[in-house]
Amino acid sequence: MRPGMLAADGTVRDLSDHVEDITGATLDDAALAKLAALDVAALPVVEGDLDLAPCVGGVGKFLCIGLNYSDHAEEAGMPIPEHPILFMKATSAIVGPNDDVVLPRGSVAGDWEVELGVVIGKTAKYVSEEDALDYVAGYCVVNDVSERDFQIKLTGQWTKGKSCDTFGPIGPWLVSRDEVADPQNLSLSCDVNGQRMQSGTTGKMIFSVAEIIAHLSQLMTLHPGDVIATGTPPGVGMGIKPDPIYLKPGDVMELEIEGLGRQRQTVRADD
């Protein structure tokens, strides 16, 4: 596995002579500035088919915000939350953007959720909303894959239905914050088997990226490399009326966020 950079000509360039991996240790402003200053044209082109790993490695915390789109809360029949709803997703769920999503044994209600991912670039504690975006290294696409029966019916935390192996595809790219003019003005979508299921805009977030970071930093220290999934727009399988639609082996999910790239996962059952 080698770190890479997407060049303007669409090729991927090898960064392994300059950085060992893209992790929290290489995401502060100074480290990113060094990468930005490289002569991209002089970097070796990565040839052949690419098997993309998660766009950030060594994730310490995978934090997720629930019911953070006003139209999704309406779809779910839930009241608008007064504060960000927080749950955790196990870091062992993290996979690459095009890896298979594996439904665990006993799964009957697998679901999709396209989300804007936020990757923290420097240690954040008691951060103000005004300064919060300065602590962002970059943004990425996240599929917050869910097993709704595990999530709702197994008694306990949502984490049960969110943390199954492969339930956290991240990437394809970690797009540095300077390339995203406004994280609250991005379109996002999810297709399942070629049918558009989710279509929305981050402008519908109840709590903005800045509000989320500021809120979480009052509760815990956010470290470089931590990932925050910021919620999903309407169109999840659970919300389809009158009969929900859930994932089955052979289904294909394709997720995209404006300027951040596209994911594609095939669903299969665990052995």
Side-chain angles (χ1 to χ4, degrees):
M1 185 170 61
R2 289 175 288 167
M5 177 186 293
L6 181 65
D9 62 3
T11 60
V12 174
R13 304 301 179 112
D14 190 345
L15 286 174
S16 55
D17 286 342
H18 302 275
V19 64
E20 184 175 343
D21 196 3
I22 305 299
T23 67
T26 57
L27 290 178
D28 63 38
D29 289 348
L32 291 178
K34 288 180 180 179
L35 293 180
L38 294 174
D39 180 2
V40 178
L43 296 173
V45 176
V46 179
E47 304 285 358
D49 295 333
L50 297 178
D51 183 9
L52 295 174
C55 62
V56 59
V59 175
K61 294 191 288 295
F62 197 168
L63 303 159
C64 302
I65 307 300
L67 291 177
N68 194 36
Y69 282 70
S70 55
D71 40 8
H72 177 50
E74 180 181 351
E75 168 189 59
M78 302 288 284
I80 299 296
E82 294 183 25
H83 306 283
I85 294 174
L86 174 66
F87 61 92
M88 308 290 280
K89 204 172 180 83
T91 56
S92 56
I94 295 174
V95 291
N98 302 319
D99 290 339
D100 288 350
V101 164
V102 182
L103 299 177
R105 294 176 183 177
S107 173
V108 295
D111 208 345
W112 54 84
E113 294 191 23
V114 61
E115 307 203 5
L116 173 65
V118 178
V119 180
I120 297 299
K122 60 182 179 180
T123 301
K125 181 70 171 177
Y126 301 131
V127 171
S128 70
E129 184 180 331
E130 292 72 24
D131 295 335
L133 295 185
D134 293 340
Y135 291 81
V136 174
Y139 301 91
C140 61
V141 183
V142 173
N143 189 355
D144 176 20
V145 185
S146 308
E147 213 302 330
R148 301 303 188 185
D149 267 22
F150 294 4
Q151 177 186 351
I152 297 167
K153 297 181 181 179
L154 286 188
T155 308
Q157 300 296 320
W158 287 5
T159 300
K160 291 182 178 180
K162 298 286 190 171
S163 294
C164 305
D165 296 346
T166 75
F167 272 26
I170 295 178
W173 317 117
L174 174 58
V175 179
S176 57
R177 72 171 186 270
D178 60 300
E179 296 288 340
V180 179
D182 182 1
Q184 304 309 144
N185 187 30
L186 300 174
S187 61
L188 61 173
S189 65
C190 176
D191 296 348
V192 180
N193 299 328
Q195 179 179 353
R196 180 59 47 91
M197 304 304 290
Q198 291 185 276
S199 182
T201 171
T202 57
K204 287 283 189 178
M205 281 186 184
I206 298 166
F207 303 102
S208 69
V209 172
E211 289 175 305
I212 291 167
I213 292 171
H215 177 74
L216 294 179
S217 77
Q218 310 308 306
L219 310 174
M220 67 190 80
T221 301
L222 302 176
H223 294 102
D226 286 350
V227 175
I228 306 170
T230 57
T232 198
V236 298
M238 181 177 65
I240 296 173
K241 304 292 190 296
D243 299 313
I245 296 175
Y246 292 122
L247 294 169
K248 61 186 184 301
D251 285 347
V252 175
M253 295 178 283
E254 295 177 284
L255 300 82
E256 186 170 11
I257 298 181
E258 179 183 356
L260 304 186
R262 190 175 182 86
Q263 298 184 348
R264 185 181 190 277
Q265 298 107 29
T266 299
V267 178
R268 62 179 175 88
D270 205 355
D271 297 334

